[in-house]
Amino acid sequence: MQTKGHVWKEVLSLAVKEYKTSNMDVSVSQGVKAILHDYSGNMDGLCDSIITVIVENRMSNKFLMQTGAK
């Protein structure tokens, strides 16, 4: 269990570093603004749009691969 915990700490550390050095915050902010601008009261559409922004900006798989996913 400690090994998995160590991997997740490493993944989180890499994600924070990448987030700080990338323009991901700008991408996420622009995505959220677009979602809210286009929101027409359709909750399913809103949820789909939020999931799309999350998927387009995720990094967890990238970092798991870099750490070797022990």
Side-chain angles (χ1 to χ4, degrees):
M1 191 64 124
Q2 287 180 322
T3 303
K4 288 182 183 180
H6 175 71
V7 170
W8 282 108
K9 286 180 185 177
E10 195 173 341
V11 168
L12 182 57
S13 178
L14 287 169
V16 168
K17 181 179 176 183
E18 179 72 16
Y19 185 80
K20 288 180 176 179
T21 60
S22 71
N23 287 328
M24 182 167 295
D25 56 331
V26 174
S27 297
V28 170
S29 179
Q30 289 173 344
V32 170
K33 285 178 185 176
I35 288 169
L36 295 176
H37 180 266
D38 295 341
Y39 179 61
S40 62
N42 176 348
M43 188 58 75
D44 289 334
L46 178 65
C47 292
D48 288 343
S49 297
I50 291 170
I51 290 169
T52 298
V53 169
I54 291 168
V55 169
E56 288 175 351
N57 292 284
R58 70 182 176 173
M59 294 184 297
S60 59
N61 289 341
K62 174 182 170 183
F63 295 123
L64 279 172
M65 293 172 138
Q66 286 181 2
T67 62
K70 297 173 181 134

